[in-house]
Amino acid sequence: MRLTPFTALADVYDAIMADVEYDEWAAFILRSALERGWGGGRALDLGCGTGNATRPMVDRGIEVEGLDASEAMLRVARSKLPQVRFHQGDFRTMAVPGCFSLVYSVFDALNNLLRAADFEEAARRVHDHLLPDGLFIFDVNTTVGLRDLWEGGKAEGWADDVYYRWVHTFDEATSLARVEAFCETETGAFTEVHYERPYDPPELTAILGAAGFVDIEVVTYPSGARATLDAARVWAVARRPAA
Ligand SMILES: C[S@@+](CC[C@H](N)C(=O)[O-])C[C@H]1O[C@@H](n2cnc3c(N)ncnc32)[C@H](O)[C@@H]1O
């Protein structure tokens, strides 16, 4: 059965992502923010999915909320972190009460925006949800990363009792990566097809600038050094100007 992205996948997502370094990413985000004068305050995990990058913030005593488009992913997040406020919404139209001092996003959630105009719209919404001086920190896959995501174009294996076989292709004509994610569990099998669009440092800088951000840096993990054009995944750090 072929399904909408991030629906059936929600129930097996955490098993497949068990080895992802969410805690290290959270530490990197906080280090990057503190180095740029962040003084704490409310944080928003954008594209929080099942809450895997929300939890390390909770564990560090940070007041964090999450936003995601997928009710199925949010259902898992809410069951894991009942004390956290999770909001259902689209990056491009989100309207979450109050403002944040930090908005962050991990694991290429923003690559799901398939047009630069969509990314700019989302960046404007983030800008409007930040306090003056607030920071937006996120990772994205670049063209180098999405052209050659996995060796042999395939990720396959067992995660607990889930068998997964994910096949990746990159369409040079549209510059879109396509992942056909097949999963099989005791209760059945399904396939979700996901698309990602790459974002490279010069374009990211232009989009964030057009959305009103300043102090824009595109860096690599974990060094925090300026990203080079051959980086497969980069992190952007940008600031809403002080009032
Ligand atoms: C690869 S998952 C990452 C989830 C989580 N950040 C993590 O690291 O595990 C991407 C997430 O982005 C969400 N997403 C994709 N497009 C979105 C959009 N336009 N608005 C809001 N959420 C979106 C999906 O529902 C999914 O939960």
Side-chain angles (χ1 to χ4, degrees), residues 186-224:
E186 283 168 358
T187 52
F190 65 88
T191 301
E192 289 189 7
V193 177
H194 296 199
Y195 288 92
E196 286 199 4
R197 179 195 189 279
Y199 289 93
D200 294 328
E203 187 180 29
L204 271 181
T205 306
I207 289 173
L208 291 168
F213 285 93
V214 295
D215 299 342
I216 301 159
E217 295 171 71
V218 185
V219 302
T220 47
Y221 168 89
S223 72

Side-chain angles (χ1 to χ4, degrees), residues 46-47 67-69 88-96 109-110 112-129 199:
L46 200 61
L67 177 131
D68 202 279
Q88 197 274 334
D90 189 288
F91 300 143
R92 297 161 292 186
T93 53
M94 65 173 188
V96 176
L110 292 168
N112 286 273
L113 294 165
L114 302 184
R115 299 180 317 151
D118 291 334
F119 202 119
E120 189 176 320
E121 200 50 51
R124 285 185 197 283
R125 300 307 305 140
V126 171
H127 178 278
D128 292 351
H129 280 78
Y199 289 93

Side-chain angles (χ1 to χ4, degrees), residues 5-6 13 17 20 22 25 45-53 67-70 73 89-92 105-110 112-113 196:
F6 303 106
Y13 187 85
M17 303 306 165
V20 174
Y22 289 108
W25 287 346
D45 180 358
L46 200 61
C48 60
T50 61
N52 288 341
L67 177 131
D68 202 279
S70 162
M73 297 289 270
D90 189 288
F91 300 143
R92 297 161 292 186
S105 184
V106 309
F107 217 176
D108 39 272
L110 292 168
N112 286 273
L113 294 165
E196 286 199 4

